[in-house]
Amino acid sequence: MMQRIYDWIDERVDITPLWRDIADHEVPEHVNPAHHFSAFVYCFGGLTFFVTVIQVLSGMFLTMYYVPDIENAWKSVYYLQTEVAHGQIVRGMHHWGASVVIVMLFLHTLRVFFQGAYKKPRELNWMVGVMIFFVMLGLGLTGYLLPWDNKAYFATQVTLEIAEGVPFIGEATKTLLAGDAEIVGAQTLTRFFAIHVFFLPAALFLLMGIHFIMIRKQGISGPL
Amino acid sequence: MSEKKQQVSRRQFLNYTLTGVGGFMAAGMLAPMVRFAIDPALQPQSKGDFKAVAQVDEITNEPQRFDWTIDQTDAWYESEVTKSAWVYKQEDGSILALSPVCKHLGCVVSWQGNSDYPEQFFCPCHDGRYYKSGENVEGTPPPVGLDIYEHKIEDGTLYLGKAKPREGA
């Protein structure tokens, strides 16, 4: 049945080359842990991607209950965590995944760094990777405020103070981030929400796309 | 039919294993999220407590609109919501409390809302009409009659519960 549906579509729009290009390629021996166990270090990039998928999915589901409003943000988080079935699990996935994704990203970076895999011709991909790293940190930073509890509030207070410390543009940056020159409040929360849920994920998807296309184009770096 | 030995090639075996493990992981990941998302559909329906609405001696043979408020808990938001009903005494002396929500598309109907149709409930949205009994007038948009509130009378006070659709609706 599935085969016939696939054939019907394939006959018309020729999708086989599309997925073959993405999925069907040799894994070289030196990156296969079945041959050399130490090759598990090559898994960290993929694990980062896997955790990112979990983050995106759990985040999408969390917004079904969450409201980015100072009156209701905390209450909605409390509600989804205590009243909704599996709320603890879904929020737990997003909460812990946020830390795990940074750890995986860091391990991936270490592997690429110590293997010298960033060298010519892969310098561009290293740069894109660094940008992904900063986007991830931005996601962690903006997401931290959203529960609107004391920890979130004062962490953001500190973040904004740091931003303010930048010479010349510090104050403007702080106002832009917080939405107000003095108050950390309603507009800060909506801004952080928008950045966390729309702007940074869009940037992340774009950068990840470039990152992956370049890997396929250049191939994985050779054995040490 | 020849007794052919079913050979599973190495490639097939790996394909099945990978699909199985991948499917298991995806299911493990998605199951809590899906349950989380469909939670509202699995919540028990609110019973709808009876609320005091009017004194029985206020009620006449002519439908009158009575408003009352109920406490509504909408997830993390608690508020008071105003409900209303068209209430009158029927021929046999029993009380009928009709929901004002039109059964066509949910606008609010009112008794004698249109002077062309006295003795009828009228919905201004699409000219839906109902007889005094709450039954819909054939040829106008509503497919069925108005919902009827559950009611009870204690010490001369009318209490209304939840509006229920008519039998056969």
Side-chain angles (χ1 to χ4, degrees):
Chain A
M1 181 64 189
M2 293 305 284
Q3 187 64 43
R4 293 189 55 196
I5 294 172
Y6 177 86
D7 290 342
W8 190 87
I9 298 169
D10 196 42
E11 197 185 336
R12 272 144 256 259
V13 284
D14 195 24
I15 53 173
T16 302
L18 282 176
W19 73 258
R20 271 194 191 276
D21 213 44
I22 295 165
D24 206 13
H25 57 104
E26 296 275 313
V27 176
E29 192 187 308
H30 73 283
V31 301
N32 188 344
H35 289 275
H36 311 281
F37 182 68
S38 62
F40 74 84
V41 292
Y42 287 96
C43 291
F44 294 131
L47 286 173
T48 309
F49 177 67
F50 177 65
V51 182
T52 305
V53 170
I54 294 183
Q55 291 306 98
V56 171
L57 282 173
S58 55
M60 279 162 61
F61 281 92
L62 284 173
T63 54
M64 283 186 175
Y65 293 94
Y66 177 77
V67 265
D69 167 64
I70 51 171
E71 291 278 348
N72 292 302
W74 188 86
K75 287 185 203 165
S76 68
V77 173
Y78 185 79
Y79 176 81
L80 75 85
Q81 174 110 359
T82 55
E83 302 289 328
V84 182
H86 292 173
Q88 280 197 329
I89 297 176
V90 178
R91 188 159 105 87
M93 284 164 97
H94 205 71
H95 175 98
W96 295 108
S99 296
V100 174
V101 82
I102 301 287
V103 171
M104 290 300 158
L105 204 56
F106 191 62
L107 292 173
H108 175 62
T109 312
L110 286 181
R111 188 227 105 200
V112 172
F113 182 77
F114 282 110
Q115 288 192 336
Y118 56 85
K119 290 176 186 169
K120 194 186 173 194
R122 299 187 176 80
E123 307 98 313
L124 273 175
N125 220 1
W126 171 266
M127 292 178 207
V128 172
V130 171
M131 284 157 83
I132 292 178
F133 189 58
F134 283 122
V135 169
M136 279 294 186
L137 290 180
L139 281 162
L141 184 100
T142 48
Y144 208 85
L145 178 68
L146 301 185
W148 201 246
D149 53 12
N150 267 289
K151 193 171 66 162
Y153 180 85
F154 286 106
T156 302
Q157 189 89 285
V158 171
T159 304
L160 293 172
E161 296 280 325
I162 294 170
E164 204 178 6
V166 177
F168 307 114
I169 55 162
E171 265 182 54
T173 312
K174 188 208 162 185
T175 308
L176 273 178
L177 275 173
D180 189 281
E182 274 138 45
I183 307 165
V184 178
Q187 297 192 82
T188 320
L189 186 55
T190 45
R191 270 169 186 263
F192 273 47
F193 179 75
I195 294 169
H196 185 78
V197 170
F198 294 107
F199 292 86
L200 289 182
L204 183 70
F205 295 153
L206 183 75
L207 290 171
M208 283 199 312
I210 298 171
H211 205 63
F212 297 159
I213 288 169
M214 277 200 272
I215 298 168
R216 290 310 307 280
K217 198 96 187 161
Q218 302 178 319
I220 201 151
S221 57
L224 292 175
Chain B
M1 278 293 188
S2 62
E3 292 258 318
K4 234 198 189 155
K5 207 172 144 201
Q6 277 291 316
Q7 284 282 4
V8 177
S9 70
R10 189 188 177 87
R11 172 173 285 265
Q12 265 179 324
F13 173 76
L14 286 171
N15 266 338
Y16 292 153
T17 320
L18 272 175
T19 314
V21 171
F24 193 77
M25 282 173 76
M29 212 165 87
L30 283 169
M33 298 184 198
V34 170
R35 179 62 184 82
F36 177 79
I38 62 168
D39 196 53
L42 301 174
Q43 290 296 327
Q45 284 241 318
S46 67
K47 286 187 295 290
D49 296 332
F50 281 89
K51 280 275 183 179
V53 170
Q55 295 302 310
V56 173
D57 49 23
E58 296 175 72
I59 298 164
T60 60
N61 290 324
E62 188 75 359
Q64 281 174 281
R65 183 178 159 153
F66 290 101
D67 295 331
W68 72 100
T69 57
I70 58 160
D71 298 317
Q72 184 178 274
T73 307
D74 178 11
W76 54 88
Y77 183 69
E78 280 167 27
S79 60
E80 284 194 339
V81 179
T82 306
K83 308 258 277 176
S84 35
W86 288 97
V87 186
Y88 70 96
K89 263 197 194 96
Q90 288 170 298
E91 307 284 282
D92 63 357
S94 65
I95 282 169
L96 185 67
L98 294 169
S99 159
V101 179
C102 182
K103 296 298 277 185
H104 176 221
L105 292 170
C107 294
V108 179
V109 303
S110 42
W111 177 245
Q112 298 178 339
N114 185 327
S115 51
D116 292 343
Y117 306 106
E119 300 299 301
Q120 281 187 2
F121 291 100
F122 180 77
C123 178
C125 290
H126 305 95
D127 297 354
R129 286 182 281 133
Y130 303 84
Y131 299 111
K132 190 178 178 184
S133 66
E135 268 156 68
N136 54 311
V137 176
E138 285 294 324
T140 68
V144 287
L146 294 168
D147 289 353
I148 300 168
Y149 279 103
E150 298 175 313
H151 75 276
K152 64 182 181 189
I153 294 159
E154 272 170 24
D155 302 330
T157 306
L158 174 73
Y159 292 81
L160 294 186
K162 222 179 159 156
K164 292 254 166 82
R166 284 155 191 268
E167 299 288 318

